[in-house]
Amino acid sequence: MAYNLEIPLNEKIRFYSYATYTHRTSFAAAWYRPSNSQQNIMSVYPDGYLPTDTTEDNDFQFTSGLKGDDFFGWHWDGSVNYGRNDSSIGIQNTINNSLGTDSPHNFRLQSLANSELTADFDIRHSFRTGLFKNPLQVAAGIEYRYQQYEVDAGEHSAWADGGYINPASYVFPNATPALPFASGLGATSPSQAGIHSRMNGAFYLDLTQKVTDKITVALSGRDEQYSDFGNALSGKTSLRYQVTPWIALRGSASNGFYAPTLRQEYFQSTALYYSILPSTNQLVQSYTNYASVTNAGARALGATPLKPETSHNLSAGFVLTPLKRLDISLDAYRIDIFNQIVPISVSGAGVSGATVLNILHQEGIVPNDGRYYGYTCERNAAHTRAMGLDLQAHYLSRFGRAGSVLWTVMMNQQQHQIMRVNPLNVNLGSVVTALYRSQIGNITAIYPRNTLRLSGTWNIDNWSTTVRVSRYSKTQLWSDRGAAYDQTVAPAWLMDFDVSCTFPNRIRVSAGGNNVFNHRPQTLSKLAQGAQSLLQVNPNCSYASAYGLDGSYFYGRVSYSW
């Protein structure tokens, strides 16, 4: 649901406002737990159970402002924007084993909220400096932003330890304390909940000068002051040279600044499962904590306050207009990101477990109770580089009374590299590396090297029809076990379409589909299935796919504007 309006208040000032509201309810199946699972009480689910993850999401955004054309000769625009997203995460058809047979089957695991309040005032004006034939274009502005992130605990039964003891059986050779927490997804306890916020103010200045009829130079700078990260300066310079009426060259250089999100800094939850102790073949409870960098366990294992990501960006290219209704652009770019934020997971189980548990026990973070404990948190892990080419071409064909067709070609060729890996702050054993093989793959191999999109949009009277064909090159999801366990998705062609009609009463009706031939990525190989933490059987499509696992998506839409 949305609205968009603009009202003139007088000859010089206009009021505008727009807002959107979206409510979404989504369901996703978790892993099936068979009747003899360690995460089941057989008298409760004699045939096993399939937990269902649920999300209730409300998203609201509102903007209102004034703009005019004569603020001491300047064009001006002042606005206030507020946005908020609330998500309630739950799980159905599951159990908290530690509560025994009286356990609820549906749980609210956590609630998350992001909100942001922004106030802006922008001005722009042109000045005759006398140095050049054309005036200097000046734009400037100030901004204030307040951000807040809330993590609310789930209901008590979602994270409680009720003390139920699993009786001795072929699943549990000895009487064993049951697994706390609702099975299927992590939950947030009160000790992990909290409200976090920050403020920042910014000022920017943008100068654009057409030096000659063919050369245009632009310079811009932005200064930001963060309540938690201090001062940040960024800038950009660009040049455009119109060589002939049908070809122009362009290039730019800039640096960037990206402050860690409040979620990256403060989100926390805990998930539990069983591990098998190799020496005795016993089941051991394993606690996996997604922890804030301020969490005592994460700090003991080397977590430090996050630094902002910074970047250096270079691009160069050209624009061609060889025909009246044809334009072609090609740009090459290189983006270096420093201190890129990547999560690291350290477990008390497995080969490295003894070192990790020893650190946690020595620091008094967790009890020495025979359980495994592990932590996942964000860290500034690496200097990465992305290089690529972007090609776009548009051509408009006119067919008289039969309408017109806009043809579009878009192509991206890219390559991602890791230039440097930041070392760990704590020695966690020879097996724990600063970047695991799977994480290296998530930076370098999970994106398609080449993406191609061909589309045509036919407009005739009040009808519009778009057909789009896309090709994605090979993608991979690397496994920490080695290349034999990787997931590989072969190149694929997909087709989308959309048909729309706008009626005289301003009602617009659309229907269409994405991936209309229901193409899905390859299923996992036997080795890749074996590398997963839980049992999998085919058909099980690889989630290394750039186009998703769900196949075709068809829609109908009705909109009205006034």
Side-chain angles (χ1 to χ4, degrees):
M1 184 168 58
Y3 77 83
N4 187 359
L5 66 86
E6 183 172 316
I7 302 172
L9 301 181
N10 55 42
E11 292 183 355
K12 296 182 178 180
I13 300 176
R14 298 181 298 280
F15 169 80
Y16 63 90
S17 180
Y18 52 89
T20 61
Y21 170 75
T22 304
H23 174 79
R24 289 181 292 267
T25 301
S26 59
F27 302 88
W31 300 110
Y32 170 69
R33 272 70 172 170
S35 61
N36 62 346
S37 168
Q38 301 94 344
Q39 297 180 336
N40 185 32
I41 298 175
M42 295 182 69
S43 62
V44 177
Y45 288 111
D47 297 321
Y49 62 99
L50 180 67
T52 301
D53 303 336
T54 65
T55 302
E56 290 282 342
D57 187 82
N58 292 285
D59 189 88
F60 170 73
Q61 182 264 332
F62 170 81
T63 297
S64 188
L66 297 169
K67 59 183 177 182
D69 299 325
D70 190 10
F71 180 71
F72 299 102
W74 293 75
H75 299 281
W76 60 276
D77 188 336
S79 65
V80 175
N81 176 283
Y82 177 77
R84 182 179 176 91
N85 179 274
D86 291 276
S87 295
S88 179
I89 314 298
I91 194 163
Q92 299 176 354
N93 192 42
T94 186
I95 189 173
N96 180 337
N97 288 48
S98 73
L99 299 179
T101 56
D102 294 330
S103 168
H105 293 193
N106 301 326
F107 303 86
R108 183 179 64 82
L109 302 175
Q110 61 199 200
S111 295
L112 308 173
N114 262 312
S115 62
E116 181 173 289
L117 173 68
T118 305
D120 295 278
F121 186 74
D122 304 289
I123 54 176
R124 56 185 175 86
H125 192 35
S126 58
F127 293 93
R128 292 285 181 180
T129 64
L131 300 176
F132 304 101
K133 174 183 175 182
N134 296 288
L136 172 68
Q137 305 294 328
V138 179
I142 56 175
E143 179 181 86
Y144 167 81
R145 182 186 297 121
Y146 175 80
Q147 297 173 313
Q148 183 171 286
Y149 179 64
E150 302 174 39
V151 185
D152 291 335
E155 61 184 282
H156 179 264
S157 59
W159 49 266
D161 186 347
Y164 178 78
I165 303 296
N166 291 308
S169 66
Y170 67 94
V171 179
F172 299 96
N174 302 305
T176 305
L179 204 63
F181 283 65
S183 174
L185 197 64
T188 297
S189 65
S191 64
Q192 298 171 317
I195 300 176
H196 311 279
S197 63
R198 71 162 166 241
M199 297 178 290
N200 78 291
F203 166 78
Y204 78 88
L205 177 65
D206 184 279
L207 306 174
T208 303
Q209 177 66 64
K210 200 167 185 180
V211 179
T212 69
D213 290 338
K214 295 184 176 182
I215 299 175
T216 301
V217 178
L219 297 172
S220 62
R222 184 179 179 91
D223 180 59
E224 297 194 59
Q225 186 73 37
Y226 287 81
S227 60
D228 49 356
F229 292 110
N231 195 60
L233 286 169
S234 57
K236 179 177 181 179
T237 178
S238 61
L239 173 69
R240 179 184 172 91
Y241 177 36
Q242 190 74 43
V243 183
T244 70
W246 56 273
I247 181 171
L249 306 178
R250 61 188 181 188
S252 68
S254 65
N255 70 306
F257 177 92
Y258 173 78
T261 66
L262 294 174
R263 184 196 183 282
Q264 287 176 315
E265 292 187 280
Y266 297 111
F267 174 76
Q268 298 196 94
S269 70
T270 300
L272 280 82
Y273 57 95
Y274 279 106
S275 295
I276 297 177
L277 191 62
S279 58
T280 63
N281 206 34
Q282 288 180 317
L283 294 171
V284 179
Q285 291 183 0
S286 295
Y287 283 63
T288 299
N289 300 282
Y290 203 109
S292 160
V293 292
T294 61
N295 179 280
R299 296 298 290 270
L301 297 172
T304 58
L306 292 175
K307 301 175 183 178
E309 295 179 345
T310 58
S311 67
H312 294 164
N313 314 288
L314 298 171
S315 69
F318 59 82
V319 179
L320 300 176
T321 53
L323 302 175
K324 184 178 180 180
R325 296 194 296 270
L326 172 65
D327 65 83
I328 304 169
S329 65
L330 178 67
D331 292 281
Y333 61 85
R334 192 183 89 176
I335 303 171
D336 284 82
I337 300 177
F338 304 90
N339 286 320
Q340 182 165 337
I341 298 171
V342 179
I344 183 171
S345 297
V346 180
S347 175
V351 180
S352 63
T355 303
V356 172
L357 285 179
N358 185 52
I359 294 173
L360 295 173
H361 293 158
Q362 286 183 343
E363 296 291 328
I365 305 299
V366 299
N368 190 357
D369 55 4
R371 293 170 171 170
Y372 289 150
Y373 295 87
Y375 288 83
T376 297
C377 64
E378 305 284 349
R379 68 182 292 263
N380 296 105
H383 164 200
T384 65
R385 175 175 293 168
M387 297 185 294
L389 287 170
D390 277 330
L391 170 69
Q392 290 193 42
H394 305 88
Y395 181 71
L396 181 64
S397 299
R398 298 190 184 278
F399 299 103
R401 297 179 61 183
S404 63
V405 176
L406 177 63
W407 306 97
T408 302
V409 177
M410 300 176 65
M411 188 275 292
N412 171 258
Q413 184 75 34
Q414 62 179 340
Q415 180 178 358
H416 296 264
Q417 299 173 283
I418 297 176
M419 310 305 296
R420 180 184 183 275
V421 177
N422 299 334
L424 297 173
N425 297 315
V426 173
N427 182 4
L428 300 174
S430 59
V431 178
V432 180
T433 59
L435 272 183
Y436 292 110
R437 185 176 183 273
S438 58
Q439 294 174 314
I440 295 173
N442 288 342
I443 295 173
T444 62
I446 204 168
Y447 303 105
R449 289 284 185 93
N450 177 270
T451 302
L452 175 66
R453 289 188 174 89
L454 310 172
S455 67
T457 300
W458 178 29
N459 293 294
I460 179 171
D461 299 328
N462 56 338
W463 288 86
S464 177
T465 303
T466 298
V467 176
R468 179 172 54 251
V469 177
S470 303
R471 181 190 182 275
Y472 301 92
S473 63
K474 180 183 74 173
T475 54
Q476 288 186 306
L477 190 68
W478 289 5
S479 171
D480 291 327
R481 296 192 183 186
Y485 298 86
D486 291 347
Q487 298 180 29
T488 300
V489 177
W493 289 89
L494 281 71
M495 192 178 85
D496 311 325
F497 79 92
D498 180 272
V499 179
S500 300
C501 180
T502 303
F503 296 93
N505 57 6
R506 298 182 180 178
I507 292 178
R508 184 178 180 87
V509 178
S510 304
N514 297 331
N515 189 6
V516 295
F517 293 116
N518 197 36
H519 184 84
R520 296 175 185 264
Q522 285 71 36
T523 57
L524 302 186
S525 67
K526 289 183 178 180
L527 284 177
Q529 288 183 47
Q532 306 306 303
S533 58
L534 294 172
L535 175 65
Q536 297 188 12
V537 293
N538 278 329
N540 194 326
C541 297
S542 170
Y543 43 91
S545 164
Y547 48 87
L549 314 177
D550 298 326
S552 298
Y553 171 78
F554 296 94
Y555 60 86
R557 184 168 52 238
V558 178
S559 61
Y560 176 69
S561 61
W562 68 93

